């Protein structure tokens, strides 16, 4: 709703830094990972595969096209018994309830000045 212009510029992170962060945080089976602005699901899916013991890996993405790409990627991983549960939401992070999250990722390459 209130996002426009450069705030919606999409960029992807690499797997190694995601895994390094999760290792440093010492995530465990009680953790719920959340990626705000999850795009194509790269962080969510990498975490689910690298840390199958996580309670849940969730992503919230505003843009339907990116959310659809994340769902497609998740579909290709279906049946991977070595992955943590994944939840992908197409919605506004301001309106969604994510109060249960214990590990929160928020990455933007282009935050606007205001």
């Amino acid at each position: 709703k209130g996002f426009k212009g450069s705030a919606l510029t999409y960029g992807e992170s690499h797997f190694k830094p995601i895994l390094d962060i999760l290792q440093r945080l010492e995530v465990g089976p009680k953790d719920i990972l959340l990626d705000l602005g999850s795009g194509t699901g790269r962080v969510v899916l990498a975490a689910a595969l690298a840390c199958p013991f996580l309670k849940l890996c969730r992503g919230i993405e505003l843009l339907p096209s990116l959310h659809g790409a994340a769902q497609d990627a998740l579909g290709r991983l279906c049946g991977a018994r070595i992955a943590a549960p994944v939840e992908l939401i197409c919605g506004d992070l301001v309106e969604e309830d994510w109060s249960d999250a214990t590990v929160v990722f928020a990455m933007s390459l282009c935050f606007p000045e205001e």
Side-chain angles (χ1 to χ4, degrees):
K1 292 182 177 181
F3 298 103
K4 59 184 178 183
S6 65
L8 296 177
T9 299
Y10 180 70
E12 290 190 346
S13 74
H14 298 282
F15 290 114
K16 176 94 169 81
I18 296 167
L19 303 180
D20 290 346
I21 290 168
L22 294 173
Q23 187 175 35
R24 285 181 176 212
L25 292 174
E26 298 179 359
V27 295
K30 293 182 181 180
D31 283 313
I32 296 175
L33 177 133
L34 172 67
D35 184 15
L36 298 173
S38 55
T40 61
R42 195 171 179 115
V43 169
V44 175
L45 298 177
L49 289 169
C51 303
F53 50 81
L54 287 169
K55 185 174 181 180
L56 177 66
C57 296
R58 177 187 298 140
I60 301 174
E61 174 54 47
L62 181 65
L63 301 176
S65 60
L66 294 177
H67 172 72
Q71 287 185 307
D72 290 346
L74 176 60
R76 288 190 297 276
L77 294 177
C78 274
R81 292 193 172 121
I82 57 163
V86 172
E87 179 182 26
L88 298 171
I89 299 168
C90 186
D92 188 330
L93 64 92
V94 175
E95 296 175 3
E96 296 293 332
D97 178 15
W98 44 277
S99 58
D100 60 344
T102 57
V103 177
V104 179
F105 276 79
M107 183 183 88
S108 178
L109 302 176
C110 299
F111 281 118
E113 289 183 28
E114 60 281 341

